[in-house]
């Protein structure tokens, strides 16, 4: 199984320009809303037509602008799962599952395929129900069963959990595990959630403004991001413009400080990133330790997030412009001990020394 994509499509001020290949794997597309993730899948499925380029799935040319080839969605035999599952409301569960099976498949084989997929996804006994009689989780399982029953050449899933609460999402992720175990071929998975992408994907493509900035394994994306977009999408809270000051020094204009770095600073460095949990209590005179003020705090179940302003940095003093205020601050994540009052944690208004570790910094050039 293989996929080759090299396409371009323009919408006036916005343009999609992506090129990538995939084999027997799950390739994730990670990026903010409107960056081109879903549009790429829709082009592969034949719902949207690129202006130019080429799409080849398992040796079959789906689209080639030079050769004037553009197969219909039905001819492409792909499976694209949208956020709302798109079940046919007037068809029963078994009819929905059978809907994607080719008309040339004999009736006995069609019945066997439907029964196999209903069994795989725990839908036995629901064959005669209609979508309106099913829970959200059951509807998802029907949609997944329909995907496999169609025996598609490629599977594509477009943010299948975006509308679900965290508990139901955890349960339904197991349905996807069953789907991925059963399918041998290329799977494309769109998400804006780094943890979700890490759980399901062999490789992850970072997408921004219609371009793929980098493709790598989840571990590499988290531990060695190569762009500002990858830093942010990997969950790094502190990302700020950087300028080289020396072989191991960067100036951060928004923060108004110079940091010492363990790694050599690239000549064309553009951004520095440091994860919020890596900050630590520091001391006066210690390397990369700064006097900071706690300007905001917010608590979750197991952590406190502090928004820290550099003492003496005028831009960090007053939130007259919210974005400027946030950009001049540092996020610091501290663990909370379950069952204990967090009195020992920094409180709003506190001033203290905070250290930014030199060996935990990310430096990227794009």
């Amino acid at each position: 199984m293989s996929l080759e994509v090299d396409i371009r499509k323009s919408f006036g001020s916005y343009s999609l320009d992506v090129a990538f290949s995939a084999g027997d794997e799950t390739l994730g597309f990670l990026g903010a809303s409107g960056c081109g993730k879903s549009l790429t899948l829709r082009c592969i499925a034949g719902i949207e037509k690129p202006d130019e380029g080429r799409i080849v799935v398992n040796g079959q040319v789906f689209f080639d602008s030079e050769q004037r080839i553009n197969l219909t969605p039905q001819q492409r035999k792909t499976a694209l799962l949208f956020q709302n599952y798109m079940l046919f409301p007037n068809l029963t569960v078994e009819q929905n599952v059978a809907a994607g099976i080719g008309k040339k498949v004999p009736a006995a084989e069609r019945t066997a395929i439907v029964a196999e997929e209903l069994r795989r996804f725990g839908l036995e006994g629901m064959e005669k129900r209609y979508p309106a009689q099913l829970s959200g989780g059951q509807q998802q399982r029907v949609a997944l069963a329909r995907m496999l029953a169609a025996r598609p050449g490629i599977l594509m899933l477009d943010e299948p959990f975006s509308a679900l609460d965290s508990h139901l999402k955890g349960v339904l992720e197991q349905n996807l595990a069953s789907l991925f175990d059963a399918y041998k071929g290329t799977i494309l998975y769109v998400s804006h959630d780094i943890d979700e992408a890490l759980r399901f994907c062999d490789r992850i493509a970072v997408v921004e403004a219609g371009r793929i900035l980098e493709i790598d394994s989840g571990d590499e994306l988290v531990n060695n991001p190569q762009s500002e977009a990858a830093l942010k999408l990997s969950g790094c809270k502190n990302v700020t413009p950087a300028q080289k000051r020396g072989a191991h020094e960067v100036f951060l204009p928004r923060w108004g400080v110079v940091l010492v770095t363990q790694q050599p600073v690239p000549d064309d460095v553009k951004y520095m990133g440091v994860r919020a949990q890596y900050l630590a209590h520091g001391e006066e005179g210690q390397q990369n330790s700064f006097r900071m003020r706690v300007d905001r705090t917010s608590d979750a179940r197991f952590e406190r997030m502090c928004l820290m302003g550099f003492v003496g940095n005028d831009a960090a003093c007053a939130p007259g412009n919210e974005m400027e205020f946030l950009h001049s601050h540092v996020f610091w994540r501290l663990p909370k001990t379950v069952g204990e009052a967090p009195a020992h944690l920094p409180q709003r208004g506190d001033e203290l020394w905070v250290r930014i570790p030199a060996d935990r910094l990310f430096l990227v050039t794009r």
Side-chain angles (χ1 to χ4, degrees):
M1 297 289 185
S2 63
L3 169 68
E4 298 287 339
V5 175
D6 186 355
I7 55 173
R8 287 153 295 285
K9 184 173 179 62
S10 177
F11 293 93
S13 60
Y14 172 83
S15 62
L16 179 75
D17 187 347
V18 295
F20 65 94
S21 60
D24 289 353
E25 61 180 322
T26 300
L27 176 61
F29 288 82
L30 190 65
S33 297
C35 69
K37 308 184 301 295
S38 298
L39 179 59
T40 300
L41 267 59
R42 292 169 67 87
C43 287
I44 296 171
I47 300 170
E48 297 280 353
K49 180 184 176 182
D51 296 332
E52 60 178 310
R54 182 176 167 88
I55 301 171
V56 183
V57 176
N58 303 326
Q60 182 180 19
V61 178
F62 280 12
F63 176 81
D64 189 316
S65 56
E66 291 188 359
Q67 300 295 323
R68 296 187 178 181
I69 297 173
N70 184 29
L71 301 187
T72 66
Q74 293 75 21
Q75 291 172 322
R76 298 186 187 206
K77 203 172 178 58
T78 62
L80 174 55
L81 179 67
F82 293 96
Q83 298 171 10
N84 59 2
Y85 312 140
M86 296 187 71
L87 299 179
F88 298 107
N90 59 324
L91 300 183
T92 64
V93 167
E94 61 183 359
Q95 289 171 334
N96 263 286
V97 174
I101 302 174
K103 294 181 179 179
K104 295 182 179 180
V105 176
E109 184 178 346
R110 175 188 296 265
T111 300
I113 292 173
V114 171
E116 177 186 1
E117 300 309 333
L118 291 175
R119 184 169 55 254
R120 186 193 311 277
F121 290 100
L123 293 167
E124 294 161 301
M126 302 180 190
E127 294 88 345
K128 304 302 180 184
R129 295 186 190 180
Y130 289 89
Q133 298 172 304
L134 304 175
S135 68
Q138 291 166 341
Q139 289 181 27
Q140 189 207 48
R141 299 209 302 271
V142 174
L144 297 179
R146 182 177 62 186
M147 289 181 75
L148 279 189
R151 304 297 190 256
I154 184 172
L155 287 183
M156 297 182 286
L157 299 96
D158 188 357
E159 300 198 48
F161 301 121
S162 62
L164 303 178
D165 62 60
S166 59
H167 173 71
L168 185 57
K169 178 179 176 179
V171 173
L172 296 185
E173 282 184 352
Q174 300 309 310
N175 295 336
L176 275 196
S178 297
L179 175 75
F180 292 172
D181 287 344
Y183 185 77
K184 304 305 178 187
T186 303
I187 301 173
L188 303 183
Y189 190 96
V190 164
S191 180
H192 61 266
D193 184 326
I194 179 64
D195 292 320
E196 185 179 299
L198 289 172
R199 284 193 290 273
F200 289 118
C201 302
D202 300 301
R203 293 190 298 151
I204 298 173
V206 175
V207 187
E208 184 180 55
R211 307 291 191 275
I212 294 177
L213 299 184
E214 55 186 287
I215 301 180
D216 222 321
S217 68
D219 285 343
E220 277 296 302
L221 180 63
V222 171
N223 297 317
N224 190 29
Q226 298 296 306
S227 65
E228 179 198 14
L231 275 172
K232 292 179 177 179
L233 290 170
S234 69
C236 187
K237 291 289 185 184
N238 299 307
V239 181
T240 189
Q243 301 168 5
K244 183 173 182 177
R245 274 291 175 88
H248 291 274
E249 286 187 340
V250 288
F251 172 61
L252 311 176
R254 284 180 174 171
W255 293 359
V257 301
V258 174
L259 287 184
V260 175
T261 70
Q262 185 180 74
Q263 60 179 297
V265 179
D267 290 337
D268 56 346
V269 64
K270 286 188 171 59
Y271 296 94
M272 187 283 303
V274 60
R275 300 196 185 281
Q277 66 268 31
Y278 292 158
L279 274 64
H281 288 279
E283 299 176 358
E284 186 175 3
Q286 188 179 27
Q287 184 186 75
N288 288 355
S289 284
F290 303 93
R291 190 70 177 172
M292 294 191 189
R293 179 186 58 255
V294 183
D295 283 336
R296 292 179 185 171
T297 64
S298 59
D299 286 345
R301 289 171 299 168
F302 307 118
E303 65 185 28
R304 169 167 293 181
M305 184 70 81
C306 297
L307 193 62
M308 311 295 296
F310 291 88
V311 174
N313 183 353
D314 293 338
C317 292
N321 181 307
E322 182 66 12
M323 293 310 297
E324 184 177 318
F325 178 74
L326 292 175
H327 286 155
S328 64
H329 281 68
V330 178
F331 289 91
W332 187 13
R333 178 181 289 125
L334 299 102
K336 289 166 58 176
T337 303
V338 177
E340 292 184 9
H344 63 288
L345 295 174
Q347 308 292 319
R348 184 168 183 171
D350 288 352
E351 288 192 8
L352 61 160
W353 289 91
V354 178
R355 181 172 60 87
I356 303 175
D359 60 344
R360 295 282 198 166
L361 306 181
F362 298 113
L363 300 175
V364 299
T365 58
R366 50 194 170 95

